[in-house]
Amino acid sequence: MQRTAGGVAVIPDSAFKSGPAAAIKDVLAYVPGVITQPRYGPDARVSIRGSGLSRAYGARGIQALADGVPINTSDGLLDLSEVDPSAYRYVEVFKGANALRYGGNSLGGAINFVMPTGRDAQRFDGRLDVGSFGFVRGQVSTGFADGAWDGFVSASAQSEDGYREHSKGAFKRLNANLGYRLSPELETRFYINAYAWRARIPGEVGKASALDDPKAANPGWVVQDQQRNIDSFRVANKTTFSLGNTTIDVGAYYLDRRVDHPIFQYLDFTVDDYGGFVRTTDDRQFGEMRNRLVAGLNVNNGKLDTEQFVNNAGAVKGALVASMVDTSKTITAYAENALYVRPDLSLILGVQYLRATRDRRDRFLSNGDQSGERSYSEWSPKVGVLWNVAPDWQVFANISRSAEVPSYDTISFATPVSTAELKAQTATTYEAGTRGRRGELTWDLSAYRAEIRNELQCLTTGPFSACSTINAGRTVHQGLEAGLMAPVAKSALIEGDGLSLNVAYTLNDFNFDGDARYGDNELPGVPKHLLRAEALYRHPSGLYAGPNVEWSPERYYADNANTLTIDRYALLGFRFGFDTKQGWSAYLEGRNLTDKRYISTVAIAGTATPTSELFNPGMGRSVYGGLRRRW
């Protein structure tokens, strides 16, 4: 991470396992530049630097990996509700083209979730969490190491009634890996991820309803009994060779996902994805200069087999209205080279080539043959500089290009074919920043400007339909990402205690750039300013306590036309607990203690009205507690 000439973050598990660790926001909340907006239960919109900020479901513009193995579907969509935070040892965030080390070169970048192995896991780690609105969660994990073999397994189950009506849900998750060292230079590791989710969906509502009666579900969604039921199984392998100055990772994966999804129509589909990758890292001296090269190839292929039916009242399949097979083939080749022209100064050159094909075979021909194929081919270069001002202080800058191609659900081959002609979203991003440490003070600061063409926007057009994807004109995403961890007081009350401050501030200054329809309007969907901060007192006995706040100080918009705003808000929380050296820990945490009514997520529209059903209310006052045992 310290070799990256751009915005990155490492999140240790201690940062998110001291609370309920039930959703992706628990992991990413204090990473500046990352916006996580809950919809219901564990489902949330995740956006980095404005990636996929118009998506009302799923996420795009972010590459996700588990131990370096891709976990997006083959067309690029991502469902982070499948991630079990309690299964991971740490999480890496690479913003924008700084994800090139894994082949990622999208506007949002990449998130890599890293599991323990049997060599660094606790022999036993178990926990029980309970909370408001029927929340119950249990998790247990274990690891072993015996000679050349080692393994780790984590299993968890979670259920909740939900804050809103018609939002009850339940999870079961299994994450495991098994490794074998054939020699000190050769290791292979197998991964298994299994996941089952059963959930009701409360649906978006009008703004007044979201604020006046936040627990209410959309009545139409209740009549249709809209649900999300997923069974997912993924198996993967990664083999690592160490050959002197060169390390080579070779891997492959297979995903089988079955989705029973009654929404405005009854969707029944399966995902069969498979892929492989090779990644090499070469670090050596050329005379007086050090050179580090990362290069690789990712292949992600898959098939989405879909049938859609009329959703009769109560989630009952009616007549067949669509049947299709979508096939995706994506190849990315990449290289990034850092040449240390001085021991403290490296110049970085990189490039990615993306080739993607989207093919549809229509099997329901009574409304016309909507079969078709589209291909995309994109080059994305990068140049950067990294200066180690001191051993614990860095300054960096980079210029990069990024490209994102449409996913299955955004392409139509119907007549007229305008939506079949969706172009790839491309951007040129300029970034500069600094990170470092002085004693116990750490900082992370990045400023960036992304000039985007053909931004993919998914606009909500009605209460019982999927959003419709278009290419916007020229847009600009620019902002500031600032993180600070600072000691406020040490040994203030007794010897060895301390009060610390953790702050994450994000500026999202996103707008159209001379658009024919929207001019220079602000882009909707995310707060312009977002601050999260916590002051935490720690006692040498292991006790800790402190308040926290999430603050959006300005209104932002729900639509491109900038006609409907989302109110500013401030959420107050407090947590305390203890963590003993004997392996016991416990916590009690209160969230939104003032019971503030606010909007957590908006499904954006071209032009909205006060009655437009676009809004998901934020959760009201809630309390969570848990007990954990490790040895």
Side-chain angles (χ1 to χ4, degrees):
M1 305 292 283
Q2 298 301 320
R3 303 186 189 101
T4 304
V8 294
V10 181
I11 313 163
D13 63 353
S14 58
F16 51 86
K17 289 183 181 178
S18 58
I24 192 64
K25 186 172 182 178
D26 296 327
V27 178
L28 301 175
Y30 284 92
V31 181
V34 181
I35 304 295
T36 307
Q37 299 170 306
R39 296 187 182 97
Y40 63 94
D43 188 45
R45 171 190 290 156
V46 178
S47 175
I48 303 176
R49 297 182 173 176
S51 63
L53 60 84
S54 65
R55 292 292 301 196
Y57 54 91
R60 51 166 292 278
I62 300 172
Q63 180 179 358
L65 310 103
D67 294 271
V69 181
I71 60 175
N72 297 65
T73 54
S74 58
D75 66 335
L77 272 181
L78 174 64
D79 188 350
L80 285 170
S81 63
E82 293 195 14
V83 171
D84 181 358
S86 64
Y88 296 100
R89 187 162 61 95
Y90 63 92
V91 178
E92 301 173 327
V93 178
F94 299 85
K95 303 169 191 175
N98 303 305
L100 193 58
R101 64 167 292 183
Y102 288 120
N105 198 25
S106 59
L107 179 66
I111 305 174
N112 185 33
F113 301 89
V114 181
M115 266 195 287
T117 70
R119 302 188 188 280
D120 55 28
Q122 299 282 340
R123 292 298 172 261
F124 175 84
D125 189 343
R127 59 183 295 161
L128 177 66
D129 303 87
V130 296
S132 301
F133 315 114
F135 175 84
V136 180
R137 185 176 184 278
Q139 184 263 349
V140 64
S141 67
T142 185
F144 78 91
D146 184 10
W149 292 95
D150 76 90
F152 169 80
V153 60
S154 171
S156 68
Q158 175 179 324
S159 67
E160 56 186 326
D161 297 331
Y163 172 67
R164 299 177 63 192
E165 299 169 358
H166 203 260
S167 63
K168 185 174 183 178
F171 274 106
K172 294 179 182 177
R173 296 179 175 117
L174 175 70
N175 294 273
N177 64 73
L178 178 67
Y180 181 72
R181 288 183 176 173
L182 289 85
S183 72
E185 294 79 28
L186 177 59
E187 177 177 287
T188 188
R189 189 168 299 276
F190 293 89
Y191 300 89
I192 290 177
N193 307 93
Y195 158 83
W197 185 20
R198 302 292 183 266
R200 255 68 181 183
I201 308 175
E204 284 79 24
V205 295
K207 181 179 177 180
S209 176
L211 296 176
D212 296 340
D213 190 9
K215 292 187 177 182
N218 185 312
W221 294 51
V222 175
V223 169
Q224 292 184 323
D225 194 14
Q226 296 201 20
Q227 304 173 33
R228 194 175 185 192
N229 305 307
I230 303 174
D231 293 289
S232 179
F233 179 80
R234 177 186 295 270
V235 61
N237 173 265
K238 182 173 72 174
T239 300
T240 301
F241 306 82
S242 297
L243 306 172
N245 296 315
T246 305
T247 301
I248 302 172
D249 292 322
V250 179
Y253 72 89
Y254 172 74
L255 167 68
D256 175 65
R257 179 181 293 145
R258 302 181 183 276
V259 183
D260 183 82
H261 196 18
I263 46 175
F264 68 97
Q265 292 181 341
Y266 200 124
L267 277 61
D268 189 343
F269 62 90
T270 60
V271 178
D272 287 289
D273 280 356
Y274 61 94
F277 65 92
V278 57
R279 180 169 54 247
T280 181
T281 303
D282 183 85
D283 197 333
R284 66 179 66 231
Q285 292 289 131
F286 288 110
E288 299 296 321
M289 293 187 293
R290 177 188 175 194
N291 191 81
R292 181 177 174 84
L293 171 67
V294 178
L297 179 72
N298 295 332
V299 178
N300 301 303
N301 296 334
K303 180 177 70 174
L304 177 67
D305 191 323
T306 304
E307 289 187 326
Q308 295 179 207
F309 304 85
V310 171
N311 182 3
N312 292 326
V316 177
K317 285 183 180 178
L320 182 70
V321 295
S323 178
M324 67 201 77
V325 175
D326 290 309
T327 302
S328 176
K329 297 179 180 179
T330 305
I331 297 176
T332 54
Y334 61 95
E336 185 177 54
N337 192 82
L339 178 65
Y340 289 77
V341 295
R342 294 186 347 200
D344 61 351
L345 182 66
S346 62
L347 304 179
I348 297 162
L349 293 174
V351 66
Q352 183 209 59
Y353 172 70
L354 168 67
R355 173 72 177 177
T357 302
R358 304 287 185 257
D359 178 89
R360 172 164 293 166
R361 180 168 58 87
D362 189 3
R363 298 178 301 198
F364 186 81
L365 303 179
S366 62
N367 61 350
D369 189 353
Q370 300 176 42
S371 302
E373 181 178 326
R374 288 297 309 276
S375 295
Y376 301 86
S377 182
E378 300 288 342
W379 287 93
S380 300
K382 173 186 177 181
V383 59
V385 59
L386 178 64
W387 177 29
N388 291 298
V389 182
D392 51 5
W393 176 22
Q394 295 180 313
V395 174
F396 55 80
N398 69 74
I399 304 172
S400 64
R401 187 179 187 271
S402 62
E404 300 169 27
V405 300
S407 51
Y408 289 134
D409 60 338
T410 63
I411 300 178
S412 169
F413 296 98
T415 302
V417 296
S418 59
T419 54
E421 297 171 353
L422 280 174
K423 298 176 182 178
Q425 172 183 309
T426 60
T428 300
T429 301
Y430 307 87
E431 179 184 7
T434 177
R435 58 176 169 258
R437 174 187 294 273
R438 280 289 183 268
E440 296 183 19
L441 171 69
T442 63
W443 71 89
D444 183 355
L445 178 67
S446 297
Y448 71 93
R449 176 182 172 91
E451 298 174 352
I452 305 174
R453 293 190 177 188
N454 304 311
E455 180 167 353
L456 292 164
Q457 279 198 316
C458 203
L459 303 180
T460 298
T461 56
F464 296 107
S465 63
C467 59
S468 299
T469 301
I470 64 167
N471 285 123
R474 292 175 182 262
T475 56
V476 173
H477 292 203
Q478 58 188 2
L480 185 68
E481 303 158 349
L484 178 71
M485 295 187 69
V488 177
K490 295 187 67 176
S491 299
L493 300 179
I494 66 168
E495 183 68 26
D497 72 352
L499 177 65
S500 62
L501 182 66
N502 185 9
V503 179
Y505 167 73
T506 300
L507 167 65
N508 301 306
D509 186 10
F510 305 156
N511 60 274
F512 290 95
D513 186 10
D515 187 81
R517 182 175 181 181
Y518 301 118
D520 295 330
N521 280 3
E522 293 183 20
L523 286 167
V526 295
K528 187 169 184 178
H529 304 275
L530 187 67
L531 176 74
R532 286 189 62 93
E534 180 179 54
L536 198 65
Y537 171 79
R538 292 188 179 275
H539 190 274
S541 67
L543 289 169
Y544 59 87
N548 56 76
V549 65
E550 178 179 320
W551 184 31
S552 173
E554 284 189 14
R555 294 181 176 183
Y556 61 100
Y557 291 103
D559 60 344
N560 287 341
N562 289 182
T563 59
L564 186 62
T565 60
I566 298 166
D567 299 338
R568 60 189 181 182
Y569 66 87
L571 309 179
L572 176 65
F574 194 93
R575 66 185 180 110
F576 68 89
F578 69 88
D579 192 349
T580 71
K581 296 180 180 179
Q582 291 74 38
W584 286 100
S585 60
Y587 74 92
L588 185 66
E589 180 175 346
R591 299 181 176 182
N592 191 8
L593 292 176
T594 62
D595 204 23
K596 173 68 176 178
R597 295 186 177 184
Y598 71 104
I599 303 296
S600 64
T601 317
V602 57
I604 75 167
T607 301
T609 68
T611 59
S612 297
E613 294 180 343
L614 303 171
F615 304 95
N616 287 295
M619 184 177 289
R621 183 187 297 113
S622 57
V623 178
Y624 299 88
L627 182 66
R628 184 180 181 192
R629 178 70 169 115
R630 291 163 287 170
W631 68 72

